[in-house]
Amino acid sequence: MTALTILMIILAYLGGSLSSAVLVSRITGLPDPRDHGSHNPGATNVLRLGGRMAALIVLLLDVLKGMAPVYLAWYLEIKPVYLGFIGVAACLGHMYPLFFHFRGGKGVATALGTMLPIGFAMGGAVIATWLLVLLVSGYSSLASIVTVLLTPLFTYLLKPEYTLPVSLLSCLILIRHHENITRLLKGEESRLWRRRGGNSPAEVVKMGDAEQKRDERDEK
């Protein structure tokens, strides 16, 4: 591993540590997504907290955090296997951000960003899977979990040289979804479509705070 590769891994982690959801929420006056709603600093939670445009900006920035370092590393002719680990570093930064007390998101959008420079067929397969599961189920978390489970298979079939780092990244994202998996099994997970029923941002915040108290009670 060359010094350039190590530098790119460090830069990818630091770039990933810029929490788009927290920064955009502060700029737009939305509640801190780490403390309200689902407590996940990601685009879906920002959407639930009342900001459609803010959620779109967060989504694009999170994808860019994964895409930019991998594309730059590819341009610098870094070996394919190291491109995968640079992508993992960007996602680790998103999950455990240095600049935000290591309270990060689940890395799905950033992981998608790392796939796009690898190949549009890969990115297309991942996006199509996520959208299909979301449209059928209404659960953003279930769409992410199913997509993450299938992504190593897509990688093996389309870009086998990236299978190891993609598999490691998939495991990390699944671990970050352990609470969602538990709620899905209990039938307590919130559907993304529930906002169409007319919940205001304030009501969503209250619902999230109630869920937090319930989780704290369960931990005791």
Side-chain angles (χ1 to χ4, degrees), residues 2-213:
T2 65
L4 178 60
T5 301
I6 295 172
L7 176 62
M8 286 301 305
I9 289 174
I10 294 171
L11 291 176
Y13 172 77
L14 293 176
S17 291
L18 297 172
S19 182
S20 309
V22 176
L23 293 173
V24 171
S25 293
R26 288 177 181 175
I27 293 170
T28 57
L30 292 172
D32 191 327
R34 297 171 298 174
D35 299 323
H36 299 285
S38 66
H39 311 289
N40 178 57
T44 301
N45 197 26
V46 173
L47 175 63
R48 287 195 181 106
L49 293 172
R52 293 183 180 179
M53 183 56 67
L56 178 60
I57 294 171
V58 170
L59 177 63
L60 293 176
L61 290 175
D62 283 348
V63 170
L64 185 62
K65 287 194 302 185
M67 183 172 67
V70 175
Y71 182 80
L72 179 58
W74 172 82
Y75 180 78
L76 295 172
E77 299 183 348
I78 291 175
K79 292 181 179 179
V81 66
Y82 296 137
L83 292 182
F85 287 112
I86 289 168
V88 170
C91 292
L92 283 173
H94 179 83
M95 295 174 185
Y96 306 101
L98 177 65
F99 308 123
F100 292 89
H101 308 290
F102 301 100
R103 294 177 62 193
K106 294 172 182 175
V108 177
T110 304
L112 170 61
T114 67
M115 303 290 174
L116 295 178
I118 293 175
F120 286 108
M122 273 287 301
V126 170
I127 293 171
T129 302
W130 189 87
L131 286 174
L132 178 61
V133 178
L134 177 66
L135 291 172
V136 171
S137 70
Y139 291 107
S140 175
S141 58
L142 181 61
S144 299
I145 291 165
V146 172
T147 302
V148 165
L149 286 171
L150 291 176
T151 298
L153 176 61
F154 296 153
T155 308
Y156 178 75
L157 295 174
L158 297 171
K159 295 284 185 177
E161 63 270 30
Y162 298 103
T163 302
L164 176 59
V166 168
S167 298
L168 291 174
L169 181 56
S170 295
C171 290
L172 285 172
I173 295 175
L174 282 175
I175 291 171
R176 294 290 288 176
H177 278 83
H178 71 277
E179 293 179 354
N180 302 90
I181 294 171
T182 300
R183 287 196 294 269
L184 284 166
L185 292 174
K186 291 182 178 180
E188 298 174 352
E189 184 74 329
S190 299
R191 293 178 186 268
L192 187 60
W193 311 131
R194 188 163 61 179
R195 279 189 51 80
R196 296 186 67 178
N199 291 330
S200 68
E203 288 172 333
V204 175
V205 170
K206 289 179 182 178
M207 287 160 52
D209 291 341
E211 289 178 0
Q212 181 182 30
K213 291 178 182 177

